[in-house]
Amino acid sequence: MPDTDPPSPSSEQFITLLNAAHGRLLGFLRVMLGNNADAEDVLQRASMTIWRKFGEYDAAKDFFAWASSFAFYEAKNFQRVSARSRLHFDDELLERLAEERVTDLDHREARLAAMDHCIEELDNPSRELVREFYLNNTELTVLADRLGRAPQTLYNKLNVLRRLLAECMKQRLAQEAGT
Amino acid sequence: MNADLDSSEMHRLFAAKADGTIAPEEHERLSTLLRNSANARQEWFAFQDAESAMLAWAQREALRREEGVGIETAAHTHAGSEPAHGAPLKYAGALAAGIVIGVLAWAFWPRPQGALTPNTPGLAARDEATTSSVAVLSRGVNMAWDETVGVPAVNSPLPPGVLRLQSGVAEIEFFQGARLCVEGPAEIRLISAGEAFCRYGRFSAHVPPQARGFRINTPKGDIVDLGTDFGLDLNATSPEVHVFKGEVELHQPPTPTRRLTTGTAAGLDQPGANRMLAANAAAFTFSHDLDAQVSASRREAFEQWEESNARRNSDRDLQLHLDFQDQQGSRSVRNAAEHGDAIAAGTIVGCNWTEGRWPGKGALQFHSVSDRVRLNLPGEYPQFTLAAWVQLHSLNARQSQSSLCMSQGLEVGGVHWQVLHDGSLCLGIVAEAHPPVTDDYISPVVFTPDRFGQWVHLAAVFDGVAKEVRFYVNGERLSRHSLKRAVMPKPVMAELGNWIPSPDYTGPHPVRNFVGCMDEFSLFARALGDDELRQLTQ
C-alpha cells in the first residue's frame, strides 16, 4: 500500500466528503445570501457542479477549500438570475464576506454548541416560538393568527429572543475562551 | 450607550435580511455597514451561525418528538399488522393539473399540533450523522466483527467508538486523510478524525502529508505520525512499531520522545531501551495484499452471481429481469428473463453506465432530473414482486418522492414504487382516477444516512390473494400491510428512476428522480415468499 496512490475518486468518496463538508458549505453560503432557503438552493446546484468536477479534485487538498470556490460562483450566479429577491449584496462585498468567512468558520462549531445550551435555557413558550418559526418557516401572520396575536408583536418577541440568545452565545464563548 | 444602540439596530437589520423583510434603503445601510466594519462582518457571521443553530435545534426537536411514533410503528410491524399511522386514503389535492405533490409524505408525518412541514426532520438526521462521524470503513476482506460491539458495513460512516475485529482485514479511512489497515483480532477505538486508540491487533497506517499529526494511542505509548507509512504490531509478544517511509514520534512518558525514521523499528515494551530494529515490511503484508484479496473476493462474488443468474432467469413467473449487463454505452437494457417475451427491452434516457456491485457488473447511474429507463409493462398483475439492487446516493429534503419504478401518470391500477424523502419505502396503487386517489403502503424508514452509498436489495410484494403488501430489505421482511381495497394493478408504461404525468404533458410537474445507481431489476408475476426473497439476495 505505501507505494500506491490514493484510490481514484469515486461516488462514495464524493458523498462522504460532501456530507462531511455540508454544514460548513451551508454556513459559508448563508453569510453571502442571508438566509437558509437560498443557501440550500445554491448548495444543491453547486453540488452538481462539484460532482461534475470531482474528477479534477486532488485528494491531497482540503475538500472544503476546493468545493467552496464552486459554491461561491454558484452564489454569484444565483443572485444574478434569481427573481425571488432583488436585494442582494454586490459582488465586491460578496467576495469580502466569502474570503473572511473561510477562516471564521473555525468558530462555527463552538457557536452552534453554545447556542444549543442557550436555547435549552429558554422558557417553554419562547422555545415553542423558536421551534415553530424555524421549523415551519411559518409565515408569522399564519402563526399569529393561530395564537391569536398580532403578527408584529410576535415578530418583535422573536427578535428579542434572537438578541437574547445571541448575547447568551457570546457570553458562553467568552467564558470558554477564558477557561 | 451608543454602541448598544448600534448593535441593536445592526441586529434588527440582520434579522430583516434573514427573514426577507428588509426594505431597499435598509439593505443599503446593511451593505455599507458590512463593507466598512470588520466587527459588523464578524457579528453577521455569528448571527448566521446562531440562525443555523436554531434551525438545527428545531429540526432535532421535531425528530425527537417524532421518534415516539417511530417506535410504535416498529412494534406494530413486528406484530405483523399495519403501521400505527397506516394513513387513511390520501386525496390528491387539486394542485397544478391535478397532480399530487407530496400529499402522501405530508400525511405520513405526525403533526403534534397544527401545521408542521413534512420536509425538515430528514435533513436534520442527515446533518447530525455527518457531523458525528470521523471515519469511513472503506474496504475489507473476510471481516468478522464482534457482534456485541457492532458490525459496520462497508462504506458506512463511523462515529467515535469501539470496533472489535475478530478476524479478517478492514481498511478505515479517517476524515483527516489517514488510512489505517487493521488485521484481526484487533480492537480499536476511534476518537476523532485524526486520532485512535488501539488496544490490540496489527495495524498498517498510510498517512499522507495533509493528515500529518495523525495519532495512534496504545496501552504501551503513543505514536504521532509525521507523514509516513508505518506498521504497528500489538499482538506480538513484544509490541513493535515499524517505519517504512517517513518519520514518527514515539511518546512514552516519562521517557523522552523518540523519533523513528524510514527503515527503523522499535519495541514498545521497554521505553528508552533503544532496542532499535530494522523495519520488517514482510510482517505487514496483509495491507499490501488487501487490494489483491478484495478484488479476488469481489471476482468470486461476481462469478457466483453469474452462475445463479442463469438459474433465476428460467423462473416461469419472471416477466422482466434487467441485469444491466448490456454493452457499455448501450441505449437500451435487454430483458434477460427466459419467459419474459411480453416485455420488450427498456429504453434509456440520459443516465450513465457505471460499475455495479463488483468489477465486471454493469449498472446505470441516475443523477439528473431527466435520467430514466422507459418500460412497457402490459397486462394485469393480481400478484407481483418488484425487486432491485440499488445504491442510493442521497435524498433531497425538498423532494417528497424518489422513483424506483413508477407507472406513468395517475391511471387506475398504476404502480408507484418509491423512496420517500424521509428514507421509507412506499408502494402506491392508484385506486381512483378523477380526482386521483392512491392507496399507499409505507414501510418504516430504510434509508438512514449510513445506508447512502451502499448496495441494498429492495423488494415490494403485492399479494392480491393474501390481501397484503410486504416490503423486504436485503432479503429480510421489513413490514406487511393489509390491502386497503381490491384494485387490479396495471403498470402499463412505467419508468425506473423517474416519473412523468404523461408524454404530452407540458406544464411543470414535481421532481421524482432517483439519485443513485441500479444494477439489477426484476418483476415477477407472483408474490414471492420470505424464503424466496432471502434466496434472491444470496
Side-chain angles (χ1 to χ4, degrees):
Chain A
M1 187 162 35
D3 298 324
T4 57
D5 289 330
S8 64
S10 65
S11 51
E12 289 89 349
Q13 244 183 328
F14 171 75
I15 287 153
T16 309
L17 287 167
L18 190 67
N19 269 347
H22 184 259
R24 274 195 301 156
L25 284 169
L26 214 52
F28 175 72
L29 287 167
R30 279 186 84 126
V31 303
M32 290 185 276
L33 301 163
N35 67 74
N36 188 64
D38 286 349
E40 289 258 19
D41 252 18
V42 170
L43 183 53
Q44 185 75 24
R45 294 170 200 205
S47 302
M48 302 286 237
T49 318
I50 297 167
W51 166 245
R52 277 197 295 273
K53 298 272 181 185
F54 192 56
E56 297 165 21
Y57 169 63
D58 175 359
K61 298 231 169 77
D62 178 50
F63 180 76
F64 171 79
W66 178 78
S68 61
S69 61
F70 297 109
F72 175 72
Y73 285 109
E74 204 64 57
K76 254 169 104 166
N77 200 35
F78 173 83
Q79 295 208 338
R80 210 160 291 136
V81 299
S82 147
R84 201 183 295 178
S85 154
R86 280 166 292 111
L87 297 172
H88 2 84
F89 298 142
D90 61 35
D91 283 1
E92 197 193 324
L93 179 53
L94 222 55
E95 260 163 54
R96 183 127 191 214
L97 291 171
E99 196 187 314
E100 289 182 13
R101 179 61 160 165
V102 171
T103 41
D104 176 81
L105 277 170
D106 290 346
H107 304 298
R108 185 171 179 273
E109 284 301 318
R111 288 186 192 133
L112 296 183
M115 271 299 278
D116 279 348
H117 285 286
C118 295
I119 296 169
E120 291 303 332
E121 285 170 18
L122 290 180
D123 59 26
N124 271 335
S126 303
R127 270 215 305 269
E128 276 304 286
L129 178 58
V130 170
R131 194 183 68 83
E132 285 280 355
F133 179 77
Y134 287 92
L135 194 61
N136 301 338
N137 214 352
T138 312
E139 301 240 347
L140 273 166
T141 46
V142 178
L143 192 61
D145 202 35
R146 228 179 58 215
L147 299 176
R149 296 172 67 175
Q152 192 57 45
T153 318
L154 218 54
Y155 190 59
N156 291 347
K157 171 137 174 58
L158 179 76
N159 279 334
V160 169
L161 287 176
R162 276 168 155 170
R163 282 226 63 192
L164 219 83
L165 288 168
E167 211 41 57
C168 165
M169 175 174 89
K170 218 185 239 176
Q171 276 174 15
R172 272 197 167 264
L173 291 172
Q175 270 169 20
E176 276 165 29
T179 51
Chain B
M1 190 67 196
N2 220 350
D4 269 357
L5 201 76
D6 283 347
S7 133
S8 113
E9 168 64 1
M10 187 159 77
H11 220 266
R12 197 186 62 76
L13 291 175
F14 286 173
K17 169 76 175 171
D19 301 336
T21 56
I22 196 162
E25 66 278 7
E26 288 176 325
H27 198 270
E28 193 42 54
R29 201 136 37 95
L30 175 63
S31 295
T32 311
L33 187 68
L34 290 176
R35 218 174 279 127
N36 297 337
S37 159
N39 179 50
R41 288 194 293 278
Q42 211 166 17
E43 291 282 335
W44 172 240
F45 297 158
F47 170 83
Q48 284 295 340
D49 286 341
E51 291 285 296
S52 295
M54 284 187 271
L55 176 64
W57 175 83
Q59 290 171 342
R60 279 201 310 271
E61 188 66 11
L63 203 64
R64 202 177 57 75
R65 293 182 186 195
E66 190 253 338
E67 259 163 18
V69 177
I71 290 157
E72 208 179 313
T73 307
H76 275 75
T77 307
H78 288 306
S81 66
E82 251 188 302
H85 49 273
L89 301 178
K90 286 118 199 163
Y91 289 91
L95 293 164
I99 292 156
V100 200
I101 304 178
V103 171
L104 109 208
W106 172 261
F108 178 58
W109 282 101
R111 273 159 285 173
Q113 35 181 267
L116 190 120
T117 45
N119 61 347
T120 36
L123 186 72
R126 190 172 56 203
D127 209 15
E128 276 195 320
T130 55
T131 49
S132 65
S133 330
V134 295
V136 57
L137 177 62
S138 46
R139 293 188 298 174
V141 273
N142 307 323
M143 292 181 290
W145 298 94
D146 184 340
E147 286 177 20
T148 60
V149 177
V151 182
V154 172
N155 285 335
S156 67
L158 303 171
V162 175
L163 294 169
R164 199 175 292 148
L165 183 66
Q166 288 165 329
S167 61
V169 177
E171 186 185 70
I172 296 170
E173 287 178 355
F174 287 79
F175 286 175
Q176 198 191 2
R179 200 159 72 220
L180 190 65
C181 230
V182 184
E183 188 189 46
E187 185 184 302
I188 176 170
R189 185 158 58 87
L190 309 181
I191 297 170
S192 72
E195 186 174 358
F197 178 85
C198 301
R199 189 178 300 281
Y200 58 84
R202 294 208 301 159
F203 305 86
S204 167
H206 170 68
V207 184
Q210 79 273 20
R212 239 179 96 101
F214 178 68
R215 190 179 180 100
I216 288 189
N217 307 325
T218 79
K220 304 275 181 189
D222 301 345
I223 298 152
V224 176
D225 198 294
L226 304 175
T228 57
D229 293 317
F230 72 91
L232 172 67
D233 188 349
L234 296 173
N235 287 359
T237 38
S238 157
E240 288 167 358
V241 54
H242 295 243
V243 179
F244 308 125
K245 198 166 88 185
E247 202 172 19
V248 305
E249 273 178 8
L250 201 51
H251 296 264
Q252 293 178 290
T255 315
T257 301
R258 278 191 283 174
R259 280 196 171 206
L260 299 181
T261 53
T262 306
T264 58
L268 296 175
D269 258 352
Q270 295 145 305
N274 262 347
R275 194 170 59 91
M276 288 299 197
L277 310 160
N280 180 8
F284 296 93
T285 47
F286 65 90
S287 66
H288 303 262
D289 296 344
L290 185 63
D291 282 328
Q293 288 187 35
V294 165
S295 29
S297 85
R298 295 175 76 190
R299 204 162 41 238
E300 202 177 306
F302 179 51
E303 281 162 11
Q304 278 174 6
W305 173 82
E306 278 184 310
E307 222 178 275
S308 55
N309 208 24
R311 184 164 35 83
R312 280 174 194 153
N313 279 335
S314 63
D315 188 311
R316 294 211 149 264
D317 287 323
L318 183 62
Q319 301 291 301
L320 171 70
H321 182 209
L322 306 177
D323 60 12
F324 298 99
Q325 290 302 83
D326 308 81
Q327 267 190 338
Q328 285 279 318
S330 166
R331 299 317 295 158
S332 64
V333 271
R334 91 199 144 86
N335 180 1
E338 275 175 36
H339 303 280
D341 304 332
I343 300 176
T347 302
I348 300 171
V349 180
C351 302
N352 289 317
W353 281 100
T354 181
E355 188 179 279
R357 279 165 285 164
W358 317 281
K361 178 76 193 72
L364 273 188
Q365 182 177 25
F366 299 78
H367 189 67
S368 84
V369 289
S370 48
D371 293 348
R372 66 195 72 214
V373 173
R374 301 270 298 161
L375 290 167
N376 188 2
L377 309 173
E380 298 185 336
Y381 290 84
Q383 286 191 324
F384 68 81
T385 301
L386 292 168
W389 276 102
V390 299
Q391 186 190 48
L392 184 68
H393 289 173
S394 65
L395 284 171
N396 182 349
R398 303 165 78 94
Q399 180 182 332
S400 61
Q401 304 151 45
S402 301
S403 161
L404 291 167
C405 175
M406 288 177 81
S407 294
Q408 176 176 298
L410 288 165
E411 298 302 318
V412 171
V415 174
H416 292 177
W417 188 29
Q418 54 210 334
V419 183
L420 302 186
H421 74 284
D422 68 339
S424 56
L425 301 172
C426 174
L427 184 71
I429 310 291
V430 182
E432 292 173 28
H434 303 291
V437 177
T438 301
D439 288 350
D440 288 322
Y441 304 91
I442 298 170
S443 80
V445 170
V446 173
F447 289 100
T448 46
D450 56 354
R451 275 229 164 96
F452 292 167
Q454 288 178 40
W455 283 102
V456 180
H457 186 265
L458 301 176
V461 175
F462 179 92
D463 190 342
V465 178
K467 295 195 170 46
E468 66 177 17
V469 166
R470 297 189 294 272
F471 290 99
Y472 294 80
V473 174
N474 291 333
E476 294 301 323
R477 195 175 72 217
L478 178 70
S479 61
R480 59 206 287 186
H481 314 259
S482 304
L483 278 197
K484 296 174 198 255
R485 67 177 117 176
V487 181
M488 181 61 78
K490 285 177 283 192
V492 203
M493 286 308 299
E495 294 190 343
L496 301 187
N498 222 318
W499 177 76
I500 51 168
S502 75
D504 53 1
Y505 178 80
T506 53
H509 64 269
V511 173
R512 297 267 162 88
N513 69 305
F514 167 80
V515 178
C517 297
M518 189 181 286
D519 88 347
E520 211 172 341
F521 182 88
S522 313
L523 165 63
F524 295 84
R526 175 174 89 231
L528 297 192
D530 292 2
D531 289 342
E532 286 180 302
L533 253 313
R534 206 167 293 129
Q535 272 173 20
L536 203 58
T537 58
Q538 274 161 7

